[in-house]
Each structure stands twice: as C-alpha cells, then as structure tokens.
Amino acid sequence: MAFTSISAPGPTVGFDLDMTLIDSRPGIRACWVELSERTGTYVDADLVVTRLGPPLAEEMAHWFPADRIAAMVDLYRELYPSYAITGTRAMPGAREAMDAVQAAGGRAIVVTAKWEPNAKLHMKHLGMEPDAVIGNLWAEQKGEALREQGASVYVGDHLGDVRGARIAGAFSVAVPTGPCSAEELTEAGADVVLGDLTEFPGWFSAYRADYRPARA
C-alpha cells in the first residue's frame, strides 16, 4: 500500500466512517437484504448491522462458503450505491467535528475499512468534505495510512480503530456509538472516550492548546 504524506500547520485528524461519522445501519441493512434476495441465501441483516467495523469479507464468511466470498463481496459493492447511500445519515456532531479540525488549519481525513469509492459516495451525498478519504483498511492497516498522512489523532468506535491509532503512534479518541462499549474501548487502550462526536470540538480545543507540529 502506498499513500501520499501531507503535512499541515494544524493537526491531521483521522476519522473512522461507519458508526463514527455516519450511521450507515439502515443503508447497509437494505443492501444485505437485497443481496440475500438475489442469491437466495439467508442473511440476518439485523444481526449484521450490530457488528459493523471489520472488513466486509469477514462478515460474508458468516453466510457464504469460502469459495463464494470474493464474488459476494463484489456483488455487495455493486449493489451498495443503489441501496445504502440514501438511507445513511451523519452521526450527531460529525460535521462539527470535521469543521473544528479544518477551521484550526488542520486536515480532517477519513480512514475506513469500507471500499473507498463507496466511502466517497457517502461523503458526497452528505455534503461532507474531508481532506482525504482512504478506504479498504482495517485495524493495523489503518495505522499505516495514518502514519503516512502524519495524523496525530484517530477517532473511531471500534477496538480495531484503537489498534490502528496505536500502530500510527496517534492519540486514540474513541466514541461508544458503534458495537463496542466505553469500557471495552478503554480496556483496549483508547486515550480518551467521548460520549459521541458532539463532545469532540470541546476536546479538540483543549488538545490544540498543547499540540506542537512535528519537525520536518
């Protein structure tokens, strides 16, 4: 994997996508229902949306045999723009969190396990304008992208996001708005756990007071 490293006068803050910036459960559920109907394979879509975060192939493995997973991933991604985009909404405080970073002269980037073209469709549909969207990465893989982008903070809702922040040497900000509880995120090593992103601008203001850009 290769990423372009970009520096900025303010901090670069990475954000996870599903259940951090966006509540994609309605759209993802609709997409899985359609996939189930097209393939004739039973999928409990209500269960699927309770464990968002890991790569799509891992979820596919619960419903399809190994030799069909790659094809089902491709089909799901093909269906996604028609079934999952319009049903998705921004999480409370998501826009304000990104705006706080950019208003401070920093960069707000999205680093997600979601297929990158679909992640970008979500941002466009919701009118959100991150400085970069990097997809197809999970847990420690996210750490590589965060490090290449010079991110000093990574915000996410999953234990995998905490692991990604640790690999990058970034400050781990967690929100218990996804499948993981505040206690689980704390135990995983999150540096701070906020109630949700509505608390981020206040936290970020205090963080900025102590932030010092790294030397080139």
Side-chain angles (χ1 to χ4, degrees):
M1 291 173 291
F3 310 98
T4 301
S5 180
I6 303 173
S7 60
T12 292
V13 177
F15 293 89
D16 174 52
L17 188 62
D18 290 306
M19 303 313 299
T20 299
L21 287 175
I22 64 174
D23 184 354
S24 51
R25 290 173 298 183
I28 287 176
R29 183 186 183 282
C31 195
W32 277 95
V33 168
E34 180 63 20
L35 181 74
S36 178
E37 291 179 354
R38 291 202 183 195
T39 61
T41 300
Y42 171 74
V43 175
D44 186 343
D46 292 319
L47 176 59
V48 169
V49 297
T50 67
R51 51 192 186 198
L52 300 182
L56 177 59
E58 290 189 17
E59 185 61 46
M60 285 290 177
H62 291 290
W63 311 106
F64 296 93
D67 62 353
R68 295 188 65 196
I69 289 175
M72 292 303 98
V73 166
D74 288 345
L75 177 57
Y76 177 92
R77 288 173 173 169
E78 181 182 316
L79 294 171
Y80 197 94
S82 297
Y83 291 89
I85 301 299
T86 58
T88 292
R89 55 190 178 273
M91 294 291 284
R95 290 184 174 87
E96 293 80 0
M98 289 180 55
D99 287 347
V101 175
Q102 293 170 330
R107 299 174 65 243
I109 65 174
V110 175
V111 181
T112 175
K114 191 178 295 296
W115 194 47
E116 191 171 302
N118 286 338
K120 290 178 177 178
L121 286 177
H122 278 301
M123 294 292 91
K124 181 178 180 180
H125 175 72
L126 293 170
M128 300 172 71
E129 298 182 352
D131 294 281
V133 176
I134 303 167
N136 314 335
L137 301 175
W138 166 241
E140 288 79 6
Q141 294 174 330
K142 290 183 174 184
E144 295 182 41
L146 292 165
R147 188 167 51 238
E148 291 285 345
Q149 292 287 321
S152 59
V153 177
Y154 186 53
V155 187
D157 66 281
H158 200 282
L159 306 185
D161 299 326
V162 178
R163 284 160 34 208
R166 293 276 74 81
I167 289 293
F171 198 94
S172 175
V173 177
V175 285
T177 49
C180 302
S181 68
E183 292 75 19
E184 289 173 320
L185 293 163
T186 299
E187 290 175 3
D191 293 299
V192 64
V193 178
L194 306 177
D196 59 26
L197 285 184
T198 63
E199 299 178 11
F200 180 85
W203 174 85
F204 184 67
S205 179
Y207 171 81
R208 280 180 57 216
D210 295 327
Y211 172 70
R212 298 292 182 273
R215 294 182 180 272

